[in-house]
Amino acid sequence: MMKKILNNPEHYVDEMLEGLVAAHPEYYRLHGDGGKVVARAKPGKDGKVGIVTGGGSGHLPVFTGYVGTGLLDACAIGDVFSSPSAEQMADAIRVADSGAGVLRLYGNYGGDVMNFDMAGELVEFEDITCSTVLLADDVASAPPEEHEKRRGVAGMVYAFKMAGAAAEEGRDLEGVTAVAQKAADACRSIGAALSPCTVPQAGKPTFEIADDEMEMGMGIHGEPGVWRGKLQTADQIAGEMMDRLLADMPISSGDRVSVMVNSLGATPPEELYILYRTVKVRLEEAGATIVMPLVGRYATSMEMAGASFTLCKLDEELENLLQAPCDCAFWRVE
Amino acid sequence: MMKKILNNPEHYVDEMLEGLVAAHPEYYRLHGDGGKVVARAKPGKDGKVGIVTGGGSGHLPVFTGYVGTGLLDACAIGDVFSSPSAEQMADAIRVADSGAGVLRLYGNYGGDVMNFDMAGELVEFEDITCSTVLLADDVASAPPEEHEKRRGVAGMVYAFKMAGAAAEEGRDLEGVTAVAQKAADACRSIGAALSPCTVPQAGKPTFEIADDEMEMGMGIHGEPGVWRGKLQTADQIAGEMMDRLLADMPISSGDRVSVMVNSLGATPPEELYILYRTVKVRLEEAGATIVMPLVGRYATSMEMAGASFTLCKLDEELENLLQAPCDCAFWRVE
Amino acid sequence: MTITRDMLLAAIDRVAAAMERDFDMLNTADGALGDGDLGVTMSRGMRAISAMKDDLPDDIGMALFQCAQAFTKSSGSSYGTLMATGLMSAAKALRGAQSIDVASVPDLIAGARDKMQERGKADLGGKTVLDSLDYVSRATAEADTGDMVVAAAQAVDKALDDFRDRPATVGRARIFGEKSIGLDDPGMLAMRSVVKAATGQ
Amino acid sequence: MTITRDMLLAAIDRVAAAMERDFDMLNTADGALGDGDLGVTMSRGMRAISAMKDDLPDDIGMALFQCAQAFTKSSGSSYGTLMATGLMSAAKALRGAQSIDVASVPDLIAGARDKMQERGKADLGGKTVLDSLDYVSRATAEADTGDMVVAAAQAVDKALDDFRDRPATVGRARIFGEKSIGLDDPGMLAMRSVVKAATGQ
Ligand SMILES: Nc1ncnc2c1ncn2[C@@H]1O[C@H](COP(=O)(O)OP(=O)(O)O)[C@@H](O)[C@H]1O
Ligand SMILES: Nc1ncnc2c1ncn2[C@@H]1O[C@H](COP(=O)(O)OP(=O)(O)O)[C@@H](O)[C@H]1O
Ligand SMILES: [Mg+2]
Ligand SMILES: [Mg+2]
Ligand SMILES: [Mg+2]
Ligand SMILES: [Mg+2]
């Protein structure tokens, strides 16, 4: 069992947010009375389209960490692996709005969807226009025919980045929403888990797995994957993950692609780089040019061991938005 | 036992470096035939003092990651937790030299010291002038009277940053060395470990620890600490770590201090932020102003769980150097 | 026959008490097929409603609207949001009314069911709270006004019995697939407690 | 009496063979008190020397210098660097010579010991390879040139016996503290193998 550094498990999220805001007051501030809405310390320009996200805690830098310039305007944070309430989401929408409307951009999880829909109804009375884009990039969670049922995972980082850059450029709600949808459609992800994490309030690991086993395609909360079996080598794991991604979204010669090799938490960067070798070979074999590969911890499940890959197929617009400046405590692009 | 994503354990470091350089060709390149010297992709200005470091692998971003503008010029990398050879270090010194001499800036570990000394003798014949500054910031590893015996841990990140900025400014070898020494003297660190990591070639955890235990003061390779006992709360752990640091380096009202709250690997940022609350309270109680707190993974031991704190007491010069721009794949300051 | 404001307040007290009583039972049931927070969600929501009970407006619609808000504020769990959605649907239908005509109850429940279905994007027959509500709205529609209370209580039991041996296909329970066969859906258990307490059974 | 280049080459062969033979023994001994790589370090170093043996220059000093380099290139472990340091010290003393006067051996070893001590910043008496070399240099200094070989072999054994029950205070073994009592220092074991193989014992 992984050990955790905490006080009362009930206060895990509140104390985490307290520390986050204390450490980075130049980026983040708490908004509202619930204490679980984080907004930009320096609000965006007036008239900028707002972008909000939300979801359970335990995935830093997702979701809260990506509040920042050229990224998100506000985020509603739930308990570990639990949706924030509709009221918190409404608060996040309110603080993100500067008159140009707000895009709700988040992962496809039942509870989050219900609450963001409800939040939209709550703010409708206040004349805030909302749009929605859901990330549903996890190819292991449903077949292509049912892609709208897929869970949202690390692909959301690309969508945050691209939509954030579009909003920063001054595009309107429709334009920003279109970019977010295009980014969401351009992403495919898959993960492989080696060991679980512990949800503080539950006090026990999210799943059990033998010492010599791994699970291909497991979700970030321990949702079942496509197979469980003996731990494979890095090259085998990376090879199968690339097979599955490329089967779902073929890459042709001349394509420009960004790729994220993401640690689910405990897996160190050393091992991500070992995996990256195969990713690079496979993409180059397919004739693709790799643009701004992201290797690191971008979307995690606390101390879960394992890694995920995300492919994001770029057109000129998405590539420019990916490379536009952004700034938050966890990621900076110049 | 933590599970690792790897191929042949013998190739762990070579494959890691291959992936690192493939992912970030704009920052890093391999130098020499051994394949275990990393240099800046864009060398520093001609006439700039070179700064090299070196040490065992398994600590990313330390050591290799900090090769970059305003930071290090080259790094010799050993196997996991093993010193690089004197020849590799000599190669790192050679590639870092542009005529103005080279500072060897690294942690106080017996093998590294012997090899860097030997490397200095090797390059002496080539008329490269070297200086040395050792980091010995781990207060748990020896009492203050024997501070020169202390191990070097995360404090080296401050020294890399400050010496790197001084070199970038164009100071000479003496000046850069003096800055590095001042930075090293200004740092105090301590760590607390919750669970071990696995050295690939050894295939077993670096130490054994019960499911409900922690060890205060443990070294980053599993060197024994000051006590082992029941896992405490975050507030207790942070409180004791601050007690020990402040006892070693008193902070007075008006002092300006940077602080690093560093994960040893598996411990997620959520928990670092929980710890940071106490760090902030304690420093502010002492009357200090916190400058640029660093919360994240700056010096790790692969998937070890636990955290370390580093205090760096600033004067005007060190503060300016800390805030000067730097750029590498793991850290960017503007 | 009408349901007065006082009757509503008394029902709130009974449901709140039932949720305290069933706290562990609901957490355990949800723990077997989900994240184990359903008792927390329900007791938090009902405590929030109890706390503002004395200040609820006379307008039954407005009162139910505030009850709905108590749920949206106190929890982000699915059930809280579904409860709020159902309450809001009834609130809209009752805006301006000082009491509830018992004859309208089947429609109010059917309306709540439909709005909750929209909210949760799940089909009937998925072994969720929707099926409980569906059973209740039909059973009450078929019953005489005097028998509605008994019909509702029987309906929540029957829904549980009918669905027990079917697999869950909605929400977190879905990932348990075949393993959910034989286990009661936590949301249906919660609705049984709510309906029985509200109707004083 | 002199040690010729051919004698030196033959000694290299014997030491290289001994290191293959003792590969596991040294790794295990180092595993108990360190990182378990001493067999690897020694066999790698000696393989590198064997590989270039035929190209070693006639100048014994230069030849030993190249042997030292073989160690600095093949390993970053302490023992490799210490070996290189000792070999370099002898290399400097022998620069230009075509053979080694046996009478100078105690001084060459003492010189290596001193340079290695500087390199490792450790005191004598710390239960390390330094103590083995110290014993060898003294024993050979006291012996007649004809008995030096036997004296050296006895000295490496005696060093092990004398230090076995003392705690390690240097290098990685230091962190084992009292637990190192009763265990042989891996570096002293390696030096015993080297000395006995070099002297053909
Ligand atoms: N999409 C949905 N549509 C209808 N009912 C649902 C839906 N999702 C969950 N439920 C009901 O809610 C219950 C679980 O509620 P809750 O514990 O609050 O969910 P969670 O904690 O997963 O957000 C389920 O037993 C089911 O009856
Ligand atoms: N500083 C030192 N001074 C003298 N001898 C040392 C020193 N450090 C290590 N040794 C010797 O080297 C041996 C260990 O060598 P090695 O396994 O190469 O070390 P490591 O793997 O820790 O770098 C020890 O048994 C000891 O005899
Ligand atoms: Mg639940
Ligand atoms: Mg829940
Ligand atoms: Mg060793
Ligand atoms: Mg070693």
Side-chain angles (χ1 to χ4, degrees), chain D residues 116-152:
Chain D
M116 289 161 73
Q117 198 178 341
E118 257 175 59
R119 173 76 68 229
K121 303 190 178 67
D123 291 332
L124 280 183
K127 192 176 176 177
T128 68
V129 61
L130 299 179
D131 294 307
S132 298
L133 292 177
D134 186 47
Y135 273 47
V136 172
S137 79
R138 288 156 182 273
T140 49
E142 282 163 17
D144 291 337
T145 42
D147 301 335
M148 269 193 197
V149 155
V150 176

Side-chain angles (χ1 to χ4, degrees), chain B residues 81-87 111 113-115 117-118 121-122 149 223-224, chain D residues 35 69 72-73 75-78 81-82 84-85 88 119-121 172 175:
Chain B
F81 297 177
S82 298
S83 178
S85 74
E87 284 288 340
V113 175
M114 282 190 221
N115 287 322
D117 284 352
M118 174 70 99
E121 283 172 34
L122 295 173
K149 287 196 184 167
E223 297 93 339
Chain D
D35 60 354
Q69 275 191 317
T72 59
K73 281 188 180 156
S75 163
S77 259
S78 308
T81 307
L82 289 168
T85 305
M88 278 227 235
R119 173 76 68 229
K121 303 190 178 67
R172 285 188 207 259
I175 70 174

Side-chain angles (χ1 to χ4, degrees), chain D residues 141-178:
Chain D
E142 282 163 17
D144 291 337
T145 42
D147 301 335
M148 269 193 197
V149 155
V150 176
Q154 286 172 345
V156 284
D157 281 327
K158 186 158 193 310
L160 277 162
D161 291 339
D162 286 358
F163 281 91
R164 186 165 299 121
D165 291 330
R166 294 166 59 173
T169 60
V170 175
R172 285 188 207 259
R174 190 164 66 108
I175 70 174
F176 290 84
E178 300 295 302

Side-chain angles (χ1 to χ4, degrees), chain A residues 284-324:
Chain A
E284 290 178 350
E285 271 173 13
T289 301
I290 302 176
V291 177
M292 202 163 110
L294 303 173
V295 182
R297 290 167 171 113
Y298 289 87
T300 67
S301 289
M302 295 183 294
E303 69 284 354
M304 189 160 157
S308 72
F309 293 173
T310 300
L311 294 186
C312 181
K313 207 161 157 176
L314 304 170
D315 62 7
E316 204 185 314
E317 179 184 36
L318 292 183
E319 183 167 342
N320 288 336
L321 293 167
L322 176 62
Q323 296 192 323

Side-chain angles (χ1 to χ4, degrees), chain A residues 254-266:
Chain A
D255 282 348
R256 298 178 66 82
V257 179
S258 184
V259 59
M260 180 188 293
V261 176
N262 173 56
S263 168
L264 299 181

Side-chain angles (χ1 to χ4, degrees), chain B residues 105-275:
Chain B
L105 181 55
Y106 61 99
N108 185 28
Y109 291 91
D112 294 328
V113 175
M114 282 190 221
N115 287 322
F116 261 122
D117 284 352
M118 174 70 99
E121 283 172 34
L122 295 173
V123 300
E124 227 171 61
F125 294 103
E126 299 156 34
D127 288 327
I128 302 179
T129 316
C130 287
S131 65
T132 299
V133 172
L134 287 183
L135 268 292
D137 51 320
D138 185 344
V139 301
S141 54
E145 316 82 74
E146 301 182 292
H147 64 86
E148 73 293 342
K149 287 196 184 167
R150 288 177 174 173
R151 298 181 293 252
V153 286
M156 76 180 75
V157 177
Y158 282 106
F160 293 165
K161 175 73 185 74
M162 291 161 176
E168 210 70 42
E169 269 184 11
R171 300 198 201 178
D172 65 11
L173 183 59
E174 202 183 329
V176 172
T177 306
V179 161
Q181 190 61 57
K182 201 205 251 187
D185 292 341
C187 287
R188 296 291 185 285
S189 301
I190 188 166
L194 274 64
S195 56
C197 59
T198 297
V199 176
Q201 289 182 260
K204 59 176 207 297
T206 44
F207 57 91
E208 308 260 327
I209 188 163
D211 261 3
D212 60 346
E213 280 187 335
M214 61 174 285
E215 185 156 328
M216 178 60 68
M218 180 173 264
I220 53 174
H221 311 100
E223 297 93 339
V226 291
W227 60 258
R228 181 179 283 212
K230 286 264 170 289
L231 179 58
Q232 300 193 319
T233 66
D235 290 353
Q236 287 170 328
I237 295 170
E240 177 169 347
M241 284 165 67
M242 289 304 293
D243 286 344
R244 290 180 179 273
L245 292 177
L246 294 173
D248 210 272
M249 182 173 69
I251 298 287
S252 344
S253 185
D255 282 348
R256 297 178 67 81
V257 178
S258 185
V259 59
M260 180 188 292
V261 176
N262 173 56
S263 168
L264 299 180
T267 293
E270 282 81 356
E271 292 162 36
L272 301 179
Y273 288 116
I274 292 176
L275 291 168

Side-chain angles (χ1 to χ4, degrees), chain A residues 81-83, chain C residues 30 35 37 41 76-78 172:
Chain A
F81 298 177
S82 298
S83 178
Chain C
D30 190 39
D35 59 355
D37 62 358
T41 302
S77 259
S78 308
R172 285 189 207 260

